[in-house]
Amino acid sequence: MIRKFISRVLRRKPASTANEPAILAVAQHGLRREQISRGGQNTVTTLQENGYQAYIVGGAVRDLLAGLTPKDFDIATNATPEQVRHCFRRARIIGRRFQIVHVSIGAETLEVTTFRGHHGEHTGNKAQTDEQGRVLRDNVFGSQEEDAARRDFTVNALYYDPSSEIITDYHHGVADLRQKTLRMIGDPKTRYREDPVRMLRAVRLAAKLGLTIDPAASRPIREMSELIDNVPPSRLFDEMLKLLTSGHALRCVAQLREEGLHKGLLPLLDVILEQPLGERFVLLALAATDRRVEEGKPISPGFLFATLLWHEVLAKWTLFKSRGEPATLALFLAMDEVLDVQAGKLAITRRIAGDIKDIWALQPRFEQRSGKRPYGILEQPRFKAGYDFLLLRAESGEVEQEISVWWSDFLHANDEGRAAMLLPPAAGETKKRRRRRRTPAATRQYPNAPQ
Ligand code: ATP
Ligand code: MG
């Protein structure tokens, strides 16, 4: 009888402790409540005062433990979206892939998510998937433990309670972070199949945090990379933008190449990266972007994508000119074709596409350095972006340094200095201008078209 009891306890023990989370006090992790934003602390305490569980979760806990400043503070709770909404004056439910609540406190917006549950045969809650196994919708609520299991990486499944300063850690995330390992929760292949964007997240988070992707999670990426094709273009665009503006774009792109992931993302980016001039240009652009992020300067997505796709435009522009198209028309044809190809994969928004075209269309105009034209170019709303773009082209060796130096001098010169710098009109320039005025479409359609 006693033996039976003992063996039952012994047998049960591993089963019951298997899912016990580590409860880490502040002495073990060092994260103080003052490090959480005011809005984050208020949201958690309000939910707790209303009788719910609430924690700071995900990227913010991870980043703070790694010594980085979090972008935002996300909150996980056992309250349903409706219940959350009732706790706050300014809160609204937004239905995306997951239903979440946006709570506004002062200037801050906090994302509050209800614990997600399991989906699978054993619970009878089957998530809707496509034929590749990608999860399309799952709004099943669950326990904190289930919520942790549904997150992607162990370092993202940490729950911090600012009231007690305790971290609840179900998957050894704190230890993984200390050991600089990015480890997938569950079977990596299954998790990539459910959501191929996790492959990109792995690359981005590893680069951002200086972690090594656990071999079990990095091994399947190469063979599964084409699953990225099934991801809706708008989601891919968001993720690529996050990656490129992470402040570690250079490292991310290097890692994407290493994992064999770059091919499906920006069509032809692989081709561009293989041409010496194109590679130099893209790498310079990414390095400049990383520098701007580090200096806390804003990043223009239009500028970024304009650089990534420029050499593709250049190649097509040259091709169309060689077929006898006039230079301006050839450029606009090339621009449209490159953006069309891109649109299928990556939904570049209309506004950003407009910015990209403005930057590209200014480029040939920088060659015009006589008469009134340079003054007109200075007045263009996108002049600064176009000029920065020109500097990169010169630095990469695609155009003569002399042109970018001239423009820098012109920009900084006074009226007299500018007048003295103007070049004599090139032979036949006036005639050409009159003829070009009559050319259709392109100039009317695009505000920055060369005139
Ligand atoms: P960052 O804010 O730096 O982009 P993050 O990890 O906070 O990184 P979010 O997109 O804000 O990324 O997601 C918040 C949390 O939601 C993540 O930490 C993770 O726990 C979970 N999560 C996000 N995307 C996924 C995904 N595709 N699969 C599983 N869990 C995810
Ligand atoms: Mg986040």
Side-chain angles (χ1 to χ4, degrees):
M1 176 79 174
I2 289 176
R3 206 183 297 144
K4 211 168 154 195
F5 175 77
I6 290 174
S7 83
R8 211 161 68 211
V9 169
L10 284 182
R11 232 182 305 127
R12 200 184 283 160
K13 203 153 185 209
S16 64
T17 50
N19 295 326
E20 286 299 325
I23 304 293
L24 306 172
V26 70
Q28 292 158 283
H29 58 71
L31 182 51
R32 305 310 307 247
R33 67 174 72 87
E34 296 77 34
Q35 293 173 266
I36 307 299
S37 70
R38 280 285 284 280
Q41 291 186 49
N42 287 351
T43 309
V44 169
T45 43
T46 303
L47 286 166
Q48 290 174 341
E49 281 160 14
N50 279 276
Y52 302 112
Q53 295 173 40
Y55 304 89
I56 303 290
V57 70
V61 184
R62 174 200 72 208
D63 289 355
L64 284 170
L65 289 176
L68 305 175
T69 310
K71 279 204 317 261
D72 40 41
F73 291 86
D74 298 328
I75 288 139
T77 179
N78 64 348
T80 64
E82 271 303 323
Q83 290 169 330
V84 173
R85 195 162 61 93
H86 281 112
C87 292
F88 299 92
R89 212 159 41 83
R90 292 196 293 150
R92 62 197 177 97
I93 298 179
I94 43 181
R96 281 196 319 219
R97 208 161 81 93
F98 305 124
Q99 244 196 358
I100 55 178
V101 186
H102 273 180
V103 174
S104 303
I105 295 188
E108 256 188 274
T109 301
L110 292 302
E111 236 178 63
V112 183
T113 315
T114 306
F115 293 147
R116 304 284 145 185
H118 278 304
H119 49 74
E121 286 79 48
H122 57 291
T123 57
N125 294 324
K126 200 151 168 32
Q128 221 178 314
T129 60
D130 68 6
E131 56 278 19
Q132 276 83 23
R134 189 169 65 87
V135 174
L136 299 174
R137 276 190 42 218
D138 56 341
N139 252 326
V140 180
F141 302 138
S143 64
Q144 183 185 14
E145 179 188 335
E146 288 170 330
D147 186 81
R150 296 277 314 281
R151 293 182 180 270
D152 44 8
F153 303 101
T154 63
V155 296
N156 283 345
L158 301 172
Y159 298 77
Y160 179 69
D161 177 358
S163 310
S164 61
E165 299 187 308
I166 278 175
I167 287 181
T168 309
D169 179 359
Y170 287 89
H171 297 278
H172 311 291
V174 172
D176 282 342
L177 199 55
R178 283 207 184 110
Q179 284 155 21
K180 300 218 157 286
T181 302
L182 190 70
R183 196 185 313 279
M184 182 72 87
I185 298 171
D187 169 47
K189 281 192 183 176
T190 312
R191 306 301 312 275
Y192 291 143
R193 229 173 276 122
E194 286 170 358
D195 182 7
V197 165
R198 289 175 185 147
M199 295 188 265
L200 291 178
R201 287 178 54 87
V203 167
R204 173 167 65 87
L205 294 175
K208 168 175 166 171
L209 295 154
L211 306 182
T212 306
I213 306 176
D214 170 38
S218 81
R219 216 178 297 118
I221 291 183
R222 194 167 288 274
E223 65 187 82
M224 298 182 84
S225 61
E226 58 200 45
L227 288 181
I228 293 276
D229 291 347
N230 304 323
V231 177
S234 58
R235 183 140 185 260
L236 213 48
F237 176 74
D238 287 347
E239 192 54 39
M240 274 308 278
L241 201 56
K242 272 194 179 181
L243 190 146
L244 294 168
T245 57
S246 66
H248 307 280
L250 263 183
R251 224 189 297 164
C252 282
V253 168
Q255 181 97 35
L256 284 178
R257 288 169 93 178
E258 223 165 90
E259 305 288 347
L261 253 183
H262 59 300
K263 294 195 193 248
L265 291 170
L266 283 160
L268 317 167
L269 180 58
D270 48 332
V271 181
I272 296 165
L273 288 172
E274 260 121 59
Q275 306 159 359
L277 256 190
E279 173 173 23
R280 196 168 147 67
F281 182 73
V282 167
L283 297 186
L284 280 171
L286 294 180
T289 308
D290 287 346
R291 251 193 329 270
R292 283 183 71 89
V293 174
E294 201 181 335
E295 292 163 4
K297 293 184 183 161
I299 299 297
S300 141
F303 187 87
L304 201 50
F305 285 101
T307 55
L308 291 177
L309 300 170
W310 173 242
H311 274 256
E312 197 53 30
V313 174
L314 265 187
K316 288 212 183 327
W317 188 20
T318 311
L319 177 74
F320 293 146
K321 277 193 292 191
S322 75
R323 288 184 190 158
E325 298 287 0
T328 310
L329 190 60
L331 174 62
F332 286 105
L333 288 174
M335 285 172 16
D336 282 343
E337 208 173 288
V338 169
L339 284 175
D340 280 351
V341 171
Q342 199 59 56
K345 274 263 159 93
L346 212 62
I348 295 181
T349 60
R350 280 259 275 285
R351 195 176 60 78
I352 294 176
D355 290 347
I356 297 175
K357 285 179 179 177
D358 286 349
I359 292 169
W360 286 342
L362 270 170
Q363 298 312 307
R365 298 185 64 180
F366 285 118
E367 281 161 37
Q368 306 171 350
R369 288 175 283 161
S370 62
K372 290 199 166 52
R373 289 172 179 183
Y375 297 98
I377 296 170
L378 282 185
E379 297 304 312
Q380 291 295 322
R382 306 285 301 161
F383 169 80
K384 186 62 179 42
Y387 165 74
D388 285 342
F389 198 86
L390 175 73
L391 296 185
L392 277 179
R393 292 173 65 207
E395 206 183 328
S396 71
E398 182 221 321
V399 292
E400 296 293 334
Q401 288 278 357
E402 179 260 330
I403 296 189
S404 68
V405 171
W406 189 93
W407 275 98
S408 302
D409 293 345
F410 190 72
L411 182 62
H412 298 112
N414 59 18
D415 287 352
E416 279 167 34
R418 283 183 182 171
M421 284 180 69
L422 295 173
L423 304 186
E429 208 171 323
T430 1
K431 220 171 92 198
K432 224 161 84 210
R433 189 159 90 191
R434 230 180 283 131
R435 191 156 33 91
R436 277 201 191 156
R437 276 216 180 127
R438 269 186 269 119
T439 48
T443 46
R444 252 178 282 126
Q445 232 174 310
Y446 303 98
N448 281 334
Q451 291 167 9

